[in-house]
Amino acid sequence: MGVTKEMVESSLTLKMNPSHLEVIDTSGGCGASFVVEIVSPQFEGKRLLERHRMVNAALENEMKQIHALSIRKALTPEQWTQQRVSKS
């Protein structure tokens, strides 16, 4: 069995303590491709590349079976709030 959406959510929740997390399985159910949107205070002071590396590290075990991981957003809580306000 491949990686499930719930497995990705569980690992990211445990290791990144996100205030917002959205995981979408774009593989049609086989667990090979995911899109992630994550908001975590652990991203404070980190550049985008560092944030993506943190997400990849948090999914180290899952990445052995995932073919594609698209990190759509990796934001701090403050950035997330600003984006939501600006869209209103």
Side-chain angles (χ1 to χ4, degrees), residues 40-54:
S40 174
Q42 293 183 30
F43 294 145
E44 291 288 345
K46 305 280 193 287
R47 294 180 179 198
L48 185 59
L49 181 58
E50 292 174 289
R51 295 174 185 192
H52 283 221
R53 286 179 177 155
M54 290 170 70

Side-chain angles (χ1 to χ4, degrees), residues 26 32-35 63 66-70:
T26 57
S33 181
F34 295 92
V35 174
M63 290 302 290
I66 294 175
H67 174 70
L69 178 67
S70 175

